[in-house]
Amino acid sequence: MHAHLRIRVSVFAGLLLLTSVSAFAQQAVADSDPAAATQPPAAEQPAAAAPASEQPAADKPAGVEPKLRFNFRFQRWSDVLEWFAEQAGLSLVLDAPPPGTFNYTDNRDYSVAESLDLLNGVLLTKGFTLVRRERMLILVDLSQGVPETLVPRVTLEELDKRGRFEIVSVLFPVGKRAATDVVTEIAPLLSPRGKSQPLTQTGQVLVTDTAGVMRAINAVIESMPQPAVAAPGVAEKPQLAVYPLKNADPDAAVQVLEALMPDAKFVRDPAANQLSAYATPTQQAAVKSVVEQLQSAEGPPESRARFEVYLLDNVDPAG
C-alpha cells in the first residue's frame, strides 16, 4: 500500500514539473516578442482587403514597370484608386469617388496599362473613367462630359501603350480621301461618348474615343480606297503650221479660230490665200478640222451662185 502511494505522488510531481516548464517557455517567448503573444491565431484574422502587390513601388528599381496584383473585397473606391496611383507613380486627382465598393481578386500580375484598363472597364459601368495625362491620374464623371483639355492626344504608334477603355484623342491622316467621307464611314464605330471632326484643310480627322475604338477606326480608314491621281503629263510645245485656204474666207477663218483657241496665234496671208497657225499639236489638229469645214461650206466656185451683167446692143428691151 505504501508502494502505491509513493507511485501516485511521483506521477503528480512529474505533471507539476511539466506544467511549470511549459509556462516558463511561453513567458520567455512573450518577453522576446510581445506582438507574438497578442497576435490571434491565423484562422481568426480578418480577410485581407489590401492589394497583394509583391513589392512597394518606391522600392522598385528605377525604369522597371511595376507588376500589380489585385486582391480586393468590399474595398472603398477611394482606397483602390489611391493605391493604384501610388503603385503607378501617378498623382491622383479626385473630387468625388464612385459609389459602392470594388471587389476583384486575381492571381495574375498586371502591368500599369493593363491595371488601368481593368479599373476603367469596371468604372465605365458606374459612369466614371480614369484619364491618364502626363503624371496625373484624373477621375472623370462622364455624366458631366469629358473636358477636351483633359483628354490626352496620342499618336497611332502610342496606342499600344494605352488600355482598350482609356479615352484618348488621335489625329488620323486620310491621304487623298475626303475627310468628310471618312467621318461618315467611321461614325458607326464610335462609342456613345465618342466624336469625330473633319479637318479638310489639313487632310486629317480628329477622333476622341477609347483606345480600343481607335484601333478599329485606323483599320477602316486604311481599308478605304484612295482616288487615283492622274500622272503629270508632258507640256506640249507650240509649233508653226500653214494651211491653204483655197475658197475659204481668210478673215472668217481667223475670227472663228481665235474664238475657239484664244491662246494660239493666227496670221492670214491674203496674197497667198493661206493661214499660218502657231499652236500646240493638239490645237493644230483642231485648226485643220476647222479649216476643212470652212472650205467645204464654201463649196467649189462653179457651184456657187454668181451675179453677172450682160450688155445688149440693138435689142428691144420690150421685145
Side-chain angles (χ1 to χ4, degrees), residues 137-222:
L137 183 67
I138 308 167
L139 181 68
V140 178
D141 185 352
L142 295 176
S143 64
Q144 301 177 4
V146 181
E148 290 290 339
T149 55
L150 295 182
V151 179
R153 184 168 298 176
V154 301
T155 64
L156 290 172
E157 293 75 17
E158 294 171 335
L159 278 178
D160 291 337
K161 301 178 182 178
R162 301 284 176 163
R164 288 187 307 144
F165 300 107
E166 195 170 350
I167 296 179
V168 294
S169 290
V170 177
L171 275 172
F172 290 95
V174 299
K176 299 298 181 182
R177 310 172 187 90
T180 53
D181 293 343
V182 173
V183 168
T184 303
E185 190 73 15
I186 67 175
L189 302 177
L190 298 176
S191 67
R193 299 179 181 89
K195 58 182 179 180
S196 61
Q197 180 179 357
L199 305 177
T200 55
Q201 295 298 321
T202 59
Q204 300 178 99
V205 172
L206 177 62
V207 183
T208 301
D209 213 317
T210 61
V213 171
M214 297 297 184
R215 297 184 183 100
I217 288 176
N218 185 48
V220 169
I221 294 177
E222 290 294 330

